[in-house]
Amino acid sequence: MQRREFLKLMTTGTLSASLIPGIVNAQNIGESARSRLRLWYTGPAERWVEALPVGNGRLGAMVFGRTAEERIQLNEDTLWAGEPHDYAHNGAYKYLPEIRRLLFDGRQSEAEELAMEEFMSVPLRQMPYQPMGDIRLHLPGHEQPETYERELDIERAIASVKYIVDSTRFTREIFASAPHDVIVVRLTADTEGALNFQAGLESPHENTSTASVGDNQFILQGSLDRFYYEQLDRNMECVLDFETRVLVTHEGGQKRVTDEGIRVEQADSATLILAAATNYTDYKQVDGDPQHRCSRVIESIKGLPYQSLKQAHIRDYQELFGRVTLDLGTTSATELPTDQRVLQFAANRDPQLIALYFQYGRYLLISSSRPGSQPANLQGLWNREIHPPWECKYTTNINAEMNYWPAELTNLPECHLPLFDMLEEAAESGRTTAREHYNCRGWVLHHNTDLWRGTAPINHSNHGIWPTGGAWLCQHFWWHYVYSGDQEFLANRAYPIMKDAALFFLDFLVEDPETGWLISVPSNSPEQGGLVAGPTMDHQIIRNLFGNTIKASRILDVDTGLRRTLEEKREKIAPNQIGQYGQLKEWAGEEMVDPYNQHRHVSHLWGLHPGDEIIPEDTPDLAGAARQTLEFRGDGGTGW
């Protein structure tokens, strides 16, 4: 299928999985294809990145699969450092004309220095996502299993561990149930009375305590209290409290629950059901009761047998996952453990590994983004660190968007909804940022946001002042409409946000004194070049936003005057240009290109992907310039 034909189908909303070669409806999935959808290994995880993730959108766990000392690391998606906070720098707009003047005069370092002093977020950084704790299982005598297999079945969203000790087969199954809002851990032995273990809850946070509740529940309670922010060298106020609660049931043997943990002896099987919550209500309020929330969840499933929980989980998950399959063929490589397949991929033909990778991406999106949850962050849902990389936030100069590229294309539109919920909240806080930083209408979001919906420029002026994060995310609103044809969604949710984002750029864009084009200034080209006037990526994104807003207003038959203004301004935005080396220019003005620069970001190719204004058959010169850019950048670090 030619890209032009594909884009036409997208625009008319008539694209379906059956039109894409290799993708067929779920009803056509054969048992052989289903049986291959698993990651499996012959040893436990030694490092966190080797553990297997499960999640229901809100709760996540990383399963290490160790035999004698199991660790299952836990996350709850609203546990973040910080507190409700408006990050805007009041009155920053007063310094905007001078910052622009300095940039137009070629005095970049002075512009960056002034912006650092007068234009940045307060505080300078946003808050990090936090781990909640671990379930620790101690199984005496299981140090040297005779056989071992660890698996993640991505067709059923169940992680499992199977091994033999003294001729007894021990099995664990772990899944995160969306319908019951719990994480379930099932332990069984195929020899009567052979299951003996201790279970406890731990947390990396200092202000925590554990206790028993009755004879079958165990809880971990804590609060973040204060957070030492290394990059700011200061303690930050934190207001979130949390609770993790475990209900234990067993068949055969006996159990004992104390303030230190759970002991099960001489059982045939046992089930640990975990609920977790914080006092977070929304980005403005933290008046929830985590104890009440956890207790309510546990009470709602008391008495339900394990098989009922499991079957409800599988039905719910497969309703999403089972909509699409990808069959690229198979080879004998499917019989190898997954880590060996990855190592041998370059040398051996293994097309099914590509299909597995595709489906694993869908699995991760389903597991980290469900209606009512927070959207998938930089690590989806899973994080073990108090100080995670890039604070595990929502980075909107590529990562947040990339997480959601599969949502519509692979028939998971429900998974898109948490992103739209976040955008509606970011638009609220972004109106303050638009007013205080730019004296503009509408709303703006820079290159990151967090649980508290910070929208002001963070970290440093040489990369934090990038005002098109919200505009890029508006593309996802439009895609959701294109794929669904849902005019009610377009009218009530998408268009108001898109319109207000467009209003911001009508006010923000200024005329380049040399060319007369409308340009974005101050800004940058993520993630290099410093603070500049007129990055190509911005102009591509803004044209896309204006174009989609124009289409939406025409479909809805509203805002005729605004539509005409957007059409006029859109034509005046600085166009894509070809530079002296035949590459696509990254900036509208003076050349700042090193043909040997192999930086991993190719931000100025946004118009090629995920934008749609550079198409080889329609714009061959620009497509050739994009190709030249890719050849210069090389394959070593290019990520998207």
Side-chain angles (χ1 to χ4, degrees):
M1 181 184 296
Q2 294 295 314
R3 187 181 182 202
R4 176 163 41 192
E5 180 185 356
F6 180 82
L7 291 169
K8 181 179 179 182
L9 290 168
M10 282 184 61
T11 305
T12 58
T14 57
L15 182 67
S16 71
S18 61
L19 295 173
I20 305 175
I23 298 182
V24 296
N25 291 333
Q27 290 88 330
N28 299 324
I29 301 175
E31 285 305 313
S32 60
R34 289 180 183 275
S35 66
R36 295 196 300 268
L37 295 180
R38 67 180 189 130
L39 287 70
W40 72 280
Y41 307 87
T42 56
E46 296 182 5
R47 301 180 299 156
W48 183 84
V49 293
E50 298 168 346
L52 296 174
V54 298
N56 66 5
R58 195 181 71 83
L59 302 177
M62 293 290 282
V63 182
F64 282 68
R66 296 169 179 169
T67 54
E69 299 289 342
E70 174 65 299
R71 177 189 180 192
I72 302 173
Q73 188 263 318
L74 306 171
N75 287 104
E76 198 273 0
D77 69 354
T78 64
L79 188 60
W80 291 64
E83 60 184 335
H85 180 74
D86 179 2
Y87 287 88
H89 190 143
N90 292 337
Y93 69 88
K94 298 173 185 176
Y95 299 90
L96 181 61
E98 179 63 10
I99 292 170
R100 284 173 167 162
R101 187 186 69 80
L102 290 170
L103 289 173
F104 284 136
D105 288 348
R107 296 156 67 183
Q108 183 187 53
S109 60
E110 294 177 57
E112 290 177 353
E113 183 178 349
L114 176 60
M116 282 297 292
E117 294 174 356
E118 306 291 353
F119 202 77
M120 303 302 290
S121 169
V122 181
L124 190 58
R125 300 186 75 95
Q126 292 170 359
M127 295 299 109
Y129 180 48
Q130 297 290 285
M132 182 166 277
D134 296 345
I135 302 176
R136 298 278 185 166
L137 299 175
H138 173 59
L139 296 96
H142 290 209
E143 289 81 4
Q144 298 293 330
E146 298 158 28
T147 64
Y148 180 93
E149 183 175 305
R150 177 169 60 106
E151 174 186 283
L152 178 62
D153 179 346
I154 64 172
E155 199 232 341
R156 300 187 306 156
I158 296 176
S160 62
V161 182
K162 301 174 184 177
Y163 58 91
I164 294 175
V165 172
D166 294 334
S167 300
T168 296
R169 177 175 293 278
F170 293 91
T171 302
R172 280 177 232 143
E173 290 187 330
I174 303 95
F175 59 86
S177 167
H180 291 106
D181 199 20
V182 291
I183 293 173
V184 180
V185 181
R186 174 74 165 177
L187 302 94
T188 61
D190 68 357
T191 300
E192 184 176 347
L195 183 62
N196 300 279
F197 69 90
Q198 299 173 48
L201 292 169
E202 299 178 359
S203 175
H205 303 292
E206 294 181 2
N207 191 20
T208 61
S209 62
T210 59
S212 61
V213 178
D215 63 354
N216 63 359
Q217 294 181 45
F218 180 72
I219 62 172
L220 168 76
Q221 294 178 325
S223 62
L224 297 185
D225 191 22
R226 289 176 179 269
F227 172 80
Y228 176 67
Y229 212 133
E230 293 174 330
Q231 291 86 346
L232 297 176
D233 191 25
R234 57 184 278 200
N235 284 311
M236 309 299 295
E237 293 292 331
C238 298
V239 295
L240 288 183
D241 303 324
F242 60 92
E243 177 175 294
T244 304
R245 181 178 294 241
V246 176
L247 169 69
V248 57
T249 62
H250 63 100
E251 293 78 39
Q254 56 274 334
K255 70 173 182 299
R256 186 159 61 95
V257 181
T258 69
D259 290 347
E260 283 70 47
I262 299 163
R263 181 186 294 272
V264 174
E265 296 177 330
Q266 299 178 331
D268 305 327
S269 61
T271 305
L272 306 177
I273 302 173
L274 179 142
T278 74
N279 59 329
Y280 177 85
T281 300
D282 58 39
Y283 81 101
K284 298 177 181 177
Q285 301 179 83
V286 287
D287 56 1
D289 183 343
Q291 183 176 355
H292 173 71
R293 289 171 172 174
C294 289
S295 176
R296 184 180 60 202
V297 168
I298 294 296
E299 288 298 319
S300 71
I301 60 173
K302 269 188 176 180
L304 283 179
Y306 171 73
Q307 289 301 326
S308 295
L309 291 169
K310 181 178 176 179
Q311 290 167 9
H313 157 70
I314 293 173
R315 281 195 304 270
D316 171 80
Y317 172 78
Q318 288 186 339
E319 198 284 319
L320 292 168
F321 183 81
R323 295 171 181 172
V324 171
T325 191
L326 176 64
D327 187 355
L328 301 177
T330 187
T331 68
S332 59
T334 57
E335 304 304 318
L336 295 173
T338 305
D339 51 345
Q340 293 184 32
R341 291 176 71 184
V342 171
L343 290 174
Q344 297 181 23
F345 181 77
N348 296 331
R349 184 175 180 272
D350 187 2
Q352 196 275 334
L353 187 62
I354 299 171
L356 179 63
Y357 187 57
F358 167 84
Q359 292 287 29
Y360 187 47
R362 296 181 71 239
Y363 167 83
L364 292 173
L365 182 59
I366 295 169
S367 300
S368 60
S369 185
R370 290 287 202 106
S373 76
Q374 295 298 311
N377 63 44
L378 266 174
Q379 294 175 189
L381 174 60
W382 304 276
N383 169 44
R384 66 174 175 138
E385 299 184 48
I386 300 291
H387 299 280
W390 297 282
E391 291 79 50
C392 216
K393 303 189 300 293
Y394 306 100
T395 300
T396 60
N397 69 10
I398 178 55
N399 306 87
E401 293 86 356
M402 187 186 292
N403 282 348
Y404 284 92
W405 283 346
E408 305 297 332
L409 182 64
T410 73
N411 206 0
L412 297 173
E414 298 93 331
C415 296
H416 231 156
L417 299 180
L419 182 70
F420 301 149
D421 294 340
M422 182 184 78
L423 276 180
E424 288 174 335
E425 294 179 338
E428 290 181 1
S429 61
R431 290 184 182 94
T432 303
T433 301
R435 182 180 67 249
E436 294 298 332
H437 286 252
Y438 299 98
N439 198 25
C440 291
R441 296 171 295 170
W443 70 281
V444 63
L445 167 62
H446 291 79
H447 89 297
N448 267 277
T449 190
D450 60 5
L451 184 74
W452 314 112
R453 305 309 185 233
T455 55
I458 64 167
N459 298 353
H460 196 287
S461 61
N462 65 7
H463 67 272
I465 301 178
W466 181 73
T468 43
W472 185 349
L473 285 168
C474 282
Q475 183 186 51
H476 289 254
F477 270 122
W478 177 247
W479 281 346
H480 189 75
Y481 165 72
V482 166
Y483 276 84
S484 67
D486 185 345
Q487 286 202 22
E488 182 178 353
F489 171 85
L490 182 66
N492 296 330
R493 296 201 70 181
Y495 181 69
I497 301 296
M498 295 165 61
K499 173 185 173 180
D500 273 6
L503 286 174
F504 170 80
F505 288 102
L506 285 178
D507 293 349
F508 170 77
L509 291 170
V510 296
E511 190 173 291
D512 184 338
E514 292 188 3
T515 67
W517 295 112
L518 291 178
I519 64 171
S520 171
V521 56
S523 189
N524 71 89
S525 186
E527 292 184 357
Q528 60 179 326
L531 196 62
V532 298
T536 297
M537 184 192 202
D538 279 18
H539 303 150
Q540 295 169 341
I541 291 174
I542 297 166
R543 268 194 300 272
N544 180 269
L545 171 66
F546 282 12
N548 292 340
T549 306
I550 289 165
K551 294 175 196 172
S553 74
R554 190 175 292 123
I555 291 166
L556 299 172
D557 193 22
V558 295
D559 296 327
T560 303
L562 174 63
R563 187 191 318 154
R564 291 188 186 127
T565 301
L566 289 172
E567 289 170 340
E568 293 170 3
K569 296 289 186 180
R570 188 173 186 270
E571 294 300 316
K572 296 178 181 179
I573 297 172
N576 293 303
Q577 301 173 60
I578 298 174
Q580 60 182 331
Y581 299 106
Q583 87 288 359
L584 192 72
K585 290 181 67 172
E586 193 161 357
W587 296 273
E590 181 183 357
E591 291 281 358
M592 293 189 291
V593 62
D594 174 3
Y596 302 104
N597 171 21
Q598 295 196 342
H599 194 279
R600 70 187 186 279
H601 279 255
V602 285
S603 301
H604 53 307
L605 299 194
W606 193 97
L608 176 68
H609 178 77
D612 58 6
E613 65 182 30
I614 300 176
I615 301 175
E617 54 266 35
D618 293 345
T619 56
D621 291 345
L622 291 176
R627 176 183 290 275
Q628 184 62 66
T629 295
L630 289 170
E631 289 177 355
F632 281 152
R633 288 288 163 91
D635 297 329
T638 302
W640 59 285

